[in-house]
Amino acid sequence: MAFYVRFFNSEILLQKEQEILPYVTSLNMLSPRELDIVASYIGKLKSGTNRIYLDKNKKKYLLAIGTDKTDIREFQKNTKKEAKPAVNAVKPKVTYSIKSVPVPVDVNKIYEGWKVYAIDYQRIEESGTLSPYTFRAKIKDVNLLQAYEKLTMFLKDKHGDKCNLPEFYPELIRVTAAE
């Protein structure tokens, strides 16, 4: 079985599992302890995706994918086809629950001083599922529409297209006194 091996931006398709350690050593990017971790996995790798974690936080890892392909271009071509979403994929329907507003709703009223504004939204996870979240922020001297604009601008900058934000309506934003 061949192994597609990737570590940061270095990638290669190796024909034997025993070639992984010499390849990783030639990169000169791993400490001796990390090389020992990689060596301990040799002989235990399976077909499919294998992640060899090199730190306790599981942020640094070596990817080794067992495959029957013999050419890296053929391997990459097939994985890109599998990774593309369907052209006519149906977007999941987004529903929002409205929670009670602790203060009377007046869109134009400026809430003076520091207040905590909250908005419910959903985020598309890597698996394609929608997960509900609530975002809270302290904002000073704004009305509900201004608070909505600031909250949504922050969320769009942080999450981009993975963030489903509802249209503005007064009951969407919850206001409470700053703590």
Short mmCIF file of all heavy atoms in Angstrom, two decimals, residues 63-103:
data_model
loop_
_atom_site.label_atom_id
_atom_site.label_comp_id
_atom_site.label_asym_id
_atom_site.label_seq_id
_atom_site.Cartn_x
_atom_site.Cartn_y
_atom_site.Cartn_z
N LEU A 63 0.24 13.99 8.34
CA LEU A 63 -0.87 13.29 7.71
C LEU A 63 -0.31 12.19 6.82
O LEU A 63 0.56 12.44 5.99
CB LEU A 63 -1.69 14.28 6.87
CG LEU A 63 -2.91 13.73 6.17
CD1 LEU A 63 -3.95 13.30 7.21
CD2 LEU A 63 -3.51 14.78 5.25
N ALA A 64 -0.81 10.98 7.01
CA ALA A 64 -0.40 9.84 6.19
C ALA A 64 -1.67 9.11 5.75
O ALA A 64 -2.36 8.53 6.57
CB ALA A 64 0.51 8.90 6.97
N ILE A 65 -1.98 9.17 4.45
CA ILE A 65 -3.19 8.56 3.93
C ILE A 65 -2.80 7.32 3.13
O ILE A 65 -2.11 7.42 2.12
CB ILE A 65 -3.98 9.54 3.04
CG1 ILE A 65 -4.35 10.78 3.84
CG2 ILE A 65 -5.22 8.87 2.48
CD1 ILE A 65 -5.02 11.87 3.03
N GLY A 66 -3.27 6.16 3.60
CA GLY A 66 -3.01 4.91 2.90
C GLY A 66 -3.89 4.82 1.67
O GLY A 66 -5.10 5.04 1.74
N THR A 67 -3.30 4.52 0.49
CA THR A 67 -4.04 4.50 -0.76
C THR A 67 -3.49 3.43 -1.69
O THR A 67 -2.37 2.95 -1.51
CB THR A 67 -3.98 5.89 -1.45
OG1 THR A 67 -4.74 5.84 -2.65
CG2 THR A 67 -2.56 6.29 -1.75
N ASP A 68 -4.30 3.08 -2.68
CA ASP A 68 -3.82 2.13 -3.68
C ASP A 68 -3.31 2.84 -4.93
O ASP A 68 -2.87 2.20 -5.88
CB ASP A 68 -4.94 1.16 -4.05
CG ASP A 68 -6.18 1.86 -4.60
OD1 ASP A 68 -6.28 3.10 -4.48
OD2 ASP A 68 -7.05 1.16 -5.15
N LYS A 69 -3.35 4.16 -4.96
CA LYS A 69 -2.86 4.95 -6.10
C LYS A 69 -1.34 4.89 -6.15
O LYS A 69 -0.67 4.77 -5.14
CB LYS A 69 -3.31 6.42 -6.00
CG LYS A 69 -4.81 6.59 -5.82
CD LYS A 69 -5.56 6.14 -7.03
CE LYS A 69 -7.04 6.40 -6.82
NZ LYS A 69 -7.89 5.50 -7.48
N THR A 70 -0.80 4.99 -7.37
CA THR A 70 0.65 4.92 -7.53
C THR A 70 1.26 6.24 -7.98
O THR A 70 2.48 6.36 -8.05
CB THR A 70 1.01 3.83 -8.55
OG1 THR A 70 0.34 4.13 -9.78
CG2 THR A 70 0.60 2.45 -8.05
N ASP A 71 0.41 7.22 -8.30
CA ASP A 71 0.88 8.51 -8.77
C ASP A 71 0.23 9.61 -7.94
O ASP A 71 -0.98 9.56 -7.69
CB ASP A 71 0.55 8.68 -10.26
CG ASP A 71 1.08 9.97 -10.83
OD1 ASP A 71 2.18 10.40 -10.45
OD2 ASP A 71 0.37 10.57 -11.67
N ILE A 72 1.00 10.61 -7.53
CA ILE A 72 0.46 11.66 -6.67
C ILE A 72 -0.60 12.50 -7.39
O ILE A 72 -1.59 12.91 -6.80
CB ILE A 72 1.58 12.55 -6.08
CG1 ILE A 72 1.02 13.44 -4.96
CG2 ILE A 72 2.23 13.40 -7.17
CD1 ILE A 72 2.07 14.05 -4.08
N ARG A 73 -0.42 12.71 -8.71
CA ARG A 73 -1.42 13.47 -9.46
C ARG A 73 -2.75 12.73 -9.50
O ARG A 73 -3.81 13.34 -9.37
CB ARG A 73 -0.92 13.75 -10.87
CG ARG A 73 0.19 14.76 -10.93
CD ARG A 73 0.62 15.04 -12.37
NE ARG A 73 1.93 15.65 -12.41
CZ ARG A 73 3.08 15.00 -12.44
NH1 ARG A 73 3.10 13.69 -12.43
NH2 ARG A 73 4.22 15.65 -12.46
N GLU A 74 -2.69 11.44 -9.67
CA GLU A 74 -3.91 10.63 -9.68
C GLU A 74 -4.58 10.65 -8.31
O GLU A 74 -5.80 10.78 -8.20
CB GLU A 74 -3.55 9.19 -10.06
CG GLU A 74 -4.72 8.25 -10.17
CD GLU A 74 -4.27 6.83 -10.53
OE1 GLU A 74 -3.19 6.67 -11.11
OE2 GLU A 74 -5.02 5.92 -10.20
N PHE A 75 -3.79 10.59 -7.25
CA PHE A 75 -4.32 10.65 -5.89
C PHE A 75 -4.99 12.00 -5.64
O PHE A 75 -6.12 12.06 -5.15
CB PHE A 75 -3.21 10.42 -4.87
CG PHE A 75 -3.65 10.61 -3.45
CD1 PHE A 75 -4.35 9.60 -2.79
CD2 PHE A 75 -3.41 11.80 -2.78
CE1 PHE A 75 -4.78 9.78 -1.49
CE2 PHE A 75 -3.83 11.98 -1.48
CZ PHE A 75 -4.51 10.97 -0.83
N GLN A 76 -4.33 13.08 -5.98
CA GLN A 76 -4.87 14.41 -5.75
C GLN A 76 -6.11 14.66 -6.60
O GLN A 76 -7.06 15.29 -6.16
CB GLN A 76 -3.81 15.48 -6.03
CG GLN A 76 -2.72 15.50 -5.01
CD GLN A 76 -1.58 16.43 -5.37
OE1 GLN A 76 -1.36 16.73 -6.54
NE2 GLN A 76 -0.85 16.89 -4.36
N LYS A 77 -6.11 14.15 -7.82
CA LYS A 77 -7.26 14.32 -8.71
C LYS A 77 -8.49 13.65 -8.11
O LYS A 77 -9.58 14.23 -8.08
CB LYS A 77 -6.93 13.71 -10.07
CG LYS A 77 -7.99 13.86 -11.12
CD LYS A 77 -7.45 13.33 -12.45
CE LYS A 77 -8.48 12.46 -13.11
NZ LYS A 77 -8.01 11.88 -14.35
N ASN A 78 -8.34 12.45 -7.58
CA ASN A 78 -9.47 11.72 -7.00
C ASN A 78 -9.95 12.37 -5.71
O ASN A 78 -11.14 12.43 -5.44
CB ASN A 78 -9.11 10.26 -6.76
CG ASN A 78 -9.04 9.48 -8.05
OD1 ASN A 78 -9.61 9.88 -9.05
ND2 ASN A 78 -8.33 8.37 -8.03
N THR A 79 -9.03 12.85 -4.87
CA THR A 79 -9.46 13.46 -3.61
C THR A 79 -10.14 14.79 -3.85
O THR A 79 -11.07 15.14 -3.13
CB THR A 79 -8.27 13.66 -2.65
OG1 THR A 79 -7.26 14.42 -3.29
CG2 THR A 79 -7.73 12.35 -2.17
N LYS A 80 -9.74 15.55 -4.85
CA LYS A 80 -10.40 16.81 -5.16
C LYS A 80 -11.82 16.56 -5.66
O LYS A 80 -12.73 17.30 -5.36
CB LYS A 80 -9.60 17.62 -6.17
CG LYS A 80 -8.34 18.23 -5.57
CD LYS A 80 -7.56 19.01 -6.58
CE LYS A 80 -6.28 19.52 -5.95
NZ LYS A 80 -5.44 20.23 -6.90
N LYS A 81 -12.02 15.50 -6.45
CA LYS A 81 -13.38 15.17 -6.91
C LYS A 81 -14.27 14.83 -5.73
O LYS A 81 -15.42 15.23 -5.66
CB LYS A 81 -13.34 13.98 -7.88
CG LYS A 81 -12.90 14.32 -9.26
CD LYS A 81 -12.96 13.10 -10.15
CE LYS A 81 -12.44 13.38 -11.53
NZ LYS A 81 -12.41 12.18 -12.36
N GLU A 82 -13.74 14.06 -4.77
CA GLU A 82 -14.53 13.67 -3.61
C GLU A 82 -14.83 14.84 -2.70
O GLU A 82 -15.86 14.90 -2.06
CB GLU A 82 -13.79 12.59 -2.81
CG GLU A 82 -13.65 11.28 -3.56
CD GLU A 82 -12.70 10.32 -2.87
OE1 GLU A 82 -12.22 10.64 -1.77
OE2 GLU A 82 -12.45 9.26 -3.45
N ALA A 83 -13.92 15.83 -2.65
CA ALA A 83 -14.09 16.95 -1.74
C ALA A 83 -15.04 18.01 -2.27
O ALA A 83 -15.57 18.80 -1.50
CB ALA A 83 -12.74 17.59 -1.46
N LYS A 84 -15.30 18.04 -3.58
CA LYS A 84 -16.20 19.06 -4.14
C LYS A 84 -17.63 18.79 -3.71
O LYS A 84 -18.11 17.66 -3.77
CB LYS A 84 -16.13 19.04 -5.67
CG LYS A 84 -14.87 19.63 -6.23
CD LYS A 84 -14.92 19.65 -7.74
CE LYS A 84 -13.63 20.18 -8.33
NZ LYS A 84 -13.65 20.16 -9.78
N PRO A 85 -18.35 19.84 -3.28
CA PRO A 85 -19.75 19.65 -2.94
C PRO A 85 -20.59 19.47 -4.21
O PRO A 85 -20.19 19.90 -5.29
CB PRO A 85 -20.13 20.94 -2.21
CG PRO A 85 -19.16 21.95 -2.72
CD PRO A 85 -17.90 21.19 -3.04
N ALA A 86 -21.72 18.85 -4.07
CA ALA A 86 -22.60 18.64 -5.21
C ALA A 86 -23.05 20.00 -5.74
O ALA A 86 -23.30 20.93 -4.99
CB ALA A 86 -23.80 17.81 -4.80
N VAL A 87 -23.17 20.10 -7.07
CA VAL A 87 -23.53 21.37 -7.71
C VAL A 87 -24.93 21.81 -7.29
O VAL A 87 -25.17 22.97 -7.01
CB VAL A 87 -23.43 21.25 -9.25
CG1 VAL A 87 -23.91 22.52 -9.91
CG2 VAL A 87 -22.02 20.92 -9.66
N ASN A 88 -25.85 20.88 -7.23
CA ASN A 88 -27.23 21.20 -6.88
C ASN A 88 -27.53 20.89 -5.42
O ASN A 88 -28.64 20.50 -5.09
CB ASN A 88 -28.19 20.43 -7.78
CG ASN A 88 -28.04 20.84 -9.24
OD1 ASN A 88 -27.75 21.99 -9.52
ND2 ASN A 88 -28.21 19.90 -10.15
N ALA A 89 -26.54 21.06 -4.57
CA ALA A 89 -26.73 20.74 -3.16
C ALA A 89 -27.77 21.68 -2.55
O ALA A 89 -27.79 22.87 -2.81
CB ALA A 89 -25.42 20.88 -2.40
N VAL A 90 -28.64 21.12 -1.75
CA VAL A 90 -29.69 21.90 -1.11
C VAL A 90 -29.12 22.50 0.17
O VAL A 90 -28.54 21.80 1.00
CB VAL A 90 -30.90 21.00 -0.78
CG1 VAL A 90 -31.97 21.78 -0.04
CG2 VAL A 90 -31.44 20.37 -2.04
N LYS A 91 -29.29 23.82 0.33
CA LYS A 91 -28.82 24.47 1.54
C LYS A 91 -29.80 24.16 2.65
O LYS A 91 -31.01 24.15 2.44
CB LYS A 91 -28.73 25.99 1.35
CG LYS A 91 -27.59 26.40 0.46
CD LYS A 91 -27.45 27.90 0.46
CE LYS A 91 -26.24 28.32 -0.35
NZ LYS A 91 -26.08 29.77 -0.35
N PRO A 92 -29.29 23.91 3.85
CA PRO A 92 -30.19 23.62 4.96
C PRO A 92 -31.03 24.83 5.32
O PRO A 92 -30.57 25.97 5.21
CB PRO A 92 -29.25 23.24 6.10
CG PRO A 92 -27.93 23.78 5.71
CD PRO A 92 -27.90 23.88 4.21
N LYS A 93 -32.27 24.59 5.72
CA LYS A 93 -33.16 25.66 6.11
C LYS A 93 -32.72 26.18 7.47
O LYS A 93 -32.47 25.41 8.39
CB LYS A 93 -34.59 25.15 6.18
CG LYS A 93 -35.58 26.23 6.51
CD LYS A 93 -36.99 25.69 6.54
CE LYS A 93 -37.95 26.80 6.92
NZ LYS A 93 -39.32 26.31 7.03
N VAL A 94 -32.62 27.49 7.59
CA VAL A 94 -32.18 28.11 8.83
C VAL A 94 -33.40 28.59 9.60
O VAL A 94 -34.25 29.30 9.07
CB VAL A 94 -31.25 29.31 8.54
CG1 VAL A 94 -30.81 29.97 9.82
CG2 VAL A 94 -30.06 28.86 7.73
N THR A 95 -33.49 28.17 10.84
CA THR A 95 -34.58 28.64 11.69
C THR A 95 -33.98 29.30 12.92
O THR A 95 -32.92 28.90 13.40
CB THR A 95 -35.48 27.47 12.15
OG1 THR A 95 -34.67 26.52 12.83
CG2 THR A 95 -36.16 26.80 10.96
N TYR A 96 -34.66 30.31 13.41
CA TYR A 96 -34.18 31.04 14.56
C TYR A 96 -35.27 31.07 15.62
O TYR A 96 -36.44 31.21 15.31
CB TYR A 96 -33.82 32.49 14.19
CG TYR A 96 -32.68 32.56 13.23
CD1 TYR A 96 -32.88 32.65 11.85
CD2 TYR A 96 -31.37 32.49 13.68
CE1 TYR A 96 -31.83 32.69 10.98
CE2 TYR A 96 -30.30 32.54 12.80
CZ TYR A 96 -30.54 32.64 11.46
OH TYR A 96 -29.49 32.67 10.59
N SER A 97 -34.86 30.93 16.84
CA SER A 97 -35.82 31.06 17.93
C SER A 97 -35.66 32.45 18.53
O SER A 97 -34.56 32.96 18.67
CB SER A 97 -35.56 29.99 18.99
OG SER A 97 -34.27 30.16 19.52
N ILE A 98 -36.78 33.05 18.85
CA ILE A 98 -36.76 34.39 19.41
C ILE A 98 -36.93 34.26 20.91
O ILE A 98 -37.87 33.65 21.40
CB ILE A 98 -37.90 35.25 18.82
CG1 ILE A 98 -37.73 35.35 17.31
CG2 ILE A 98 -37.92 36.62 19.47
CD1 ILE A 98 -38.89 36.01 16.63
N LYS A 99 -36.00 34.84 21.65
CA LYS A 99 -36.07 34.83 23.10
C LYS A 99 -36.64 36.16 23.56
O LYS A 99 -36.64 37.14 22.82
CB LYS A 99 -34.69 34.59 23.69
CG LYS A 99 -34.13 33.23 23.33
CD LYS A 99 -32.79 32.99 23.96
CE LYS A 99 -32.26 31.63 23.56
NZ LYS A 99 -30.94 31.39 24.08
N SER A 100 -37.11 36.20 24.76
CA SER A 100 -37.73 37.42 25.27
C SER A 100 -36.70 38.53 25.41
O SER A 100 -35.53 38.29 25.69
CB SER A 100 -38.38 37.15 26.62
OG SER A 100 -37.39 36.77 27.55
N VAL A 101 -37.16 39.76 25.19
CA VAL A 101 -36.30 40.94 25.27
C VAL A 101 -36.50 41.55 26.66
O VAL A 101 -37.62 41.87 27.04
CB VAL A 101 -36.69 41.96 24.18
CG1 VAL A 101 -35.82 43.20 24.27
CG2 VAL A 101 -36.56 41.33 22.81
N PRO A 102 -35.44 41.72 27.44
CA PRO A 102 -35.59 42.19 28.81
C PRO A 102 -35.93 43.67 28.95
O PRO A 102 -36.26 44.12 30.02
CB PRO A 102 -34.25 41.88 29.46
CG PRO A 102 -33.30 41.78 28.33
CD PRO A 102 -34.08 41.31 27.15
N VAL A 103 -35.82 44.47 27.86
CA VAL A 103 -36.19 45.88 27.91
C VAL A 103 -37.18 46.15 26.79
O VAL A 103 -37.23 45.43 25.81
CB VAL A 103 -34.94 46.79 27.74
CG1 VAL A 103 -33.99 46.64 28.89
CG2 VAL A 103 -34.25 46.52 26.43
#
